[in-house]
Amino acid sequence: MAYDPSNIFARILRGEIPCKKVFENEHVLAFHDINPQAPLHILVIPKGAYISMDDFSAKASPEEITAFVRAIGEIARREGVAESGYRILANHGGDAHQEVPHLHVHIFGKRPLGRMLPRD
Ligand code: 5GP
């Protein structure tokens, strides 16, 4: 599957669609989710064209991977959830219901987050 440059996060990266930005550096952008599932719900995305964690883990440079992981930790500390606790989540593909085909890690926090997965 090829990267689709018309996906919504690619459009946010190009400045075509606004976002509520919380963090940016050379390799990473982070912003509030438009439909938050917790009082804190931030999306962290690489600036490179990667479909998902599968794609990113296989193709991204060490610099991109380091920047992405460090950004997640830094954002969580800045947002004040490193002490209280938070959850990170990245959906890949159909079984995980990935909606947007540009890698994004969700950061959830500022409330008790319940079970890791619903019992289906
Ligand atoms: P996924 O199911 O792919 O892991 O999550 C996609 C997330 O992107 C959802 O939580 C959804 O609310 C969020 N989202 C979709 N469109 C937009 C948008 O235009 N702006 C922002 N900030 N978030 C979006």
Side-chain angles (χ1 to χ4, degrees):
M1 178 176 154
Y3 181 82
D4 174 7
S6 69
N7 78 73
I8 201 94
F9 295 164
R11 298 185 66 196
I12 286 175
L13 282 168
R14 290 196 296 269
E16 296 168 8
I17 293 176
C19 70
K20 286 171 65 183
K21 182 166 73 176
V22 297
F23 178 94
E24 183 169 19
N25 68 18
E26 181 187 356
H27 293 295
V28 180
L29 178 68
F31 47 88
H32 289 282
D33 196 288
I34 204 167
N35 182 24
Q37 306 296 310
L40 181 76
H41 186 173
I42 287 171
L43 300 171
V44 188
I45 70 173
K47 289 188 172 177
Y50 300 104
I51 298 169
S52 69
M53 187 60 81
D54 182 65
D55 194 24
F56 187 72
S57 63
K59 297 182 191 156
S61 68
E63 291 75 18
E64 290 174 300
I65 293 170
T66 299
F68 193 63
V69 174
R70 290 214 187 277
I72 293 167
E74 184 172 338
I75 293 161
R77 288 189 293 275
R78 279 191 195 182
E79 296 292 331
V81 291
E83 295 294 321
S84 54
Y86 62 94
R87 181 169 295 154
I88 62 173
L89 181 149
N91 291 315
H92 163 72
D95 276 357
H97 295 276
Q98 181 181 4
E99 287 173 14
V100 181
H102 182 111
L103 171 61
H104 47 284
V105 164
H106 301 254
I107 303 177
F108 302 105
K110 298 198 175 171
R111 71 161 167 82
L113 293 166
R115 298 183 63 84
M116 188 160 55
L117 288 175
R119 286 182 195 272
D120 279 332

